[in-house]
């Protein structure tokens, strides 16, 4: 079992404190969902976990199986088994999607134990089939000219190929039609297992109609203010966030 532990995390962007003491523990085999109104720091948390340089951790800690994640460079975090699907994936010209995935997979393997091209292609084909993706997407430059929905599917494809220990999926459902939503959910559900933990960040409950989270957390004003089981997501869908604000005496 692997465990990602976030303790009292404070993060600033350009001198402004966005995260004000986040606590969260994610074990492999668990699916967590973070929900919350816009602008409360959900993407900031994702970026801080992956080490985006713009986000300055001013105090607190992030560890993966006791190893200090904050001490690792971005590529070291990926090699350690962390993966981030971004809310707005960037386009990278000159690198094909397939090359990107193959080198990311090999970076997690020992030297001399690189995945063979045949095995890679076979695995890629089968995952692309699950995600109902066109074969030519693999040979195109990373995210270049991909539609919003294609970018999201592609993030899930990368996750399925790279097989991270802990994946953070930021708004993977935004902009997806219902068919794409089902396909993306199938991919995530297929990953579920004892070697995989997941943090799904979403503004809406609808993704959680297809993926049942073990834990649901609400983020407001830079903190996790409430945690519960899958039923919490349903309550939020039905009643919104106001009742939590009232409970906590939070003003907008
Ligand atoms: P969420 O994902 O919950 O919608 P974000 O983490 O994106 O929230 O943003 C939290 C706060 O941080 C917002 O007030 C936002 O304006 C601010 N913020 C986020 N990213 C940046 C940035 N790159 N530069 C300046 N401010 C930012
Ligand atoms: Mg947002
Ligand atoms: Mg966001």
């Amino acid at each position: 079992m692997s465990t990602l532990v976030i303790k009292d995390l404070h993060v600033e962007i350009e001198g402004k404190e966005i995260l004000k003491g986040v606590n969260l523990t994610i074990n492999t085999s668990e699916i967590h969902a973070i929900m919350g109104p816009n602008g409360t720091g959900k993407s900031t948390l994702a970026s801080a976990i992956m080490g985006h340089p713009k986000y300055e951790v001013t105090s607190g800690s992030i560890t993966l199986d006791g190893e200090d994640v904050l001490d690792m460079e971005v590529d070291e975090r990926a090699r350690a088994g962390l993966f981030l699907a971004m809310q707005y994936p960037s386009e990278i010209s000159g690198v094909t999607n397939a090359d990107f995935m193959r080198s990311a997979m090999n970076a997690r393997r020992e030297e001399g134990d690189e995945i063979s091209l045949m095995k890679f292609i076979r695995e890629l084909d089968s995952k692309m089939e699950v995600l109902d993706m066109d074969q030519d997407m693999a040979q195109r430059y990373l995210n270049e000219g991909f539609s919003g929905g294609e970018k999201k599917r592609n993030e899930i494809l990368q996750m399925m190929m790279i097989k991270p220990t802990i994946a953070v999926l930021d708004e993977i459902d935004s902009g997806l039609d219902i068919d794409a939503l089902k396909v993306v959910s199938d991919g995530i559900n297929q990953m579920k297992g004892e070697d995989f933990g997941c943090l799904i960040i979403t503004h809406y409950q609808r993704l959680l109609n297809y993926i049942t989270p073990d834990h649901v957390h609400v983020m407001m004003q830079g903190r996790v203010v409430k945690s519960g089981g899958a039923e919490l997501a349903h309550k939020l869908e039905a009643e919104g966030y106001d009742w939590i604000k009232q409970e906590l005496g939070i003003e907008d």
Side-chain angles (χ1 to χ4, degrees):
M1 188 185 80
S2 283
T3 308
L4 182 75
V5 181
I6 299 167
K7 266 194 197 148
D8 195 27
L9 190 72
H10 291 250
V11 173
E12 290 184 1
I13 307 171
E14 290 163 0
K16 183 177 166 215
E17 184 164 70
I18 307 292
L19 297 187
K20 301 167 182 169
V22 171
N23 292 291
L24 199 62
T25 298
I26 301 168
N27 294 306
T28 43
S29 84
E30 296 172 352
I31 295 187
H32 291 246
I34 289 197
M35 305 182 71
N38 258 321
T40 50
K42 301 183 299 296
S43 292
T44 300
L45 175 64
S47 296
I49 294 170
M50 288 316 291
H52 191 293
K54 207 166 175 168
Y55 299 78
E56 193 198 343
V57 176
T58 52
S59 65
S61 64
I62 305 178
T63 57
L64 180 62
D65 296 333
E67 300 279 335
D68 186 355
V69 170
L70 296 177
D71 211 31
M72 300 177 193
E73 300 295 331
V74 174
D75 61 319
E76 290 176 290
R77 295 181 198 209
R79 261 182 279 139
L82 298 175
F83 174 89
L84 172 63
M86 281 182 290
Q87 186 169 0
Y88 304 106
S90 41
E91 306 191 354
I92 303 177
S93 202
V95 178
T96 68
N97 207 8
D99 284 345
F100 172 81
M101 283 183 276
R102 199 157 159 236
S103 51
M105 288 164 80
N106 282 331
R108 295 203 60 210
R109 291 161 160 257
E110 300 292 323
E111 224 180 293
D113 186 36
E114 285 87 358
I115 187 165
S116 77
L117 186 58
M118 283 307 294
K119 204 168 163 221
F120 171 77
I121 290 171
R122 233 182 295 132
E123 198 166 334
L124 184 63
D125 282 348
S126 79
K127 307 287 192 226
M128 288 182 87
E129 205 175 311
V130 172
L131 295 172
D132 197 17
M133 290 173 77
D134 279 338
Q135 296 294 333
D136 74 337
M137 300 273 298
Q139 294 312 324
R140 283 167 58 184
Y141 291 145
L142 201 51
N143 288 318
E144 207 177 69
F146 287 22
S147 72
E150 284 171 341
K151 283 183 185 175
K152 301 286 174 174
R153 273 179 214 230
N154 200 50
E155 297 285 290
I156 297 301
L157 176 66
Q158 288 171 11
M159 176 184 80
M160 293 174 84
M161 293 296 286
I162 295 167
K163 299 185 187 69
T165 311
I166 305 279
V168 179
L169 310 178
D170 192 4
E171 306 269 351
I172 198 73
D173 50 340
S174 64
L176 293 185
D177 62 31
I178 203 78
D179 291 333
L181 192 67
K182 282 182 191 160
V183 158
V184 159
S185 308
D186 284 347
I188 298 167
N189 284 325
Q190 212 178 75
M191 290 288 294
K192 207 177 157 146
E194 60 184 28
D195 297 324
F196 177 70
C198 188
L199 177 60
I200 295 172
I201 296 172
T202 179
H203 190 61
Y204 303 101
Q205 193 268 337
R206 59 177 203 150
L207 177 68
L208 306 178
N209 290 331
Y210 303 100
I211 300 169
T212 305
D214 303 292
H215 302 276
V216 174
H217 313 277
V218 179
M219 188 176 239
M220 272 184 196
Q221 300 183 350
R223 285 192 192 92
V224 173
V225 295
K226 199 166 194 67
S227 296
E231 76 290 343
L232 179 55
H234 293 290
K235 189 169 159 84
L236 291 169
E237 178 75 354
E239 300 176 29
Y241 294 102
D242 283 349
W243 62 279
I244 299 183
K245 288 183 190 163
Q246 275 164 18
E247 219 176 84
L248 300 167
I250 292 177
E251 302 274 321
D252 276 317

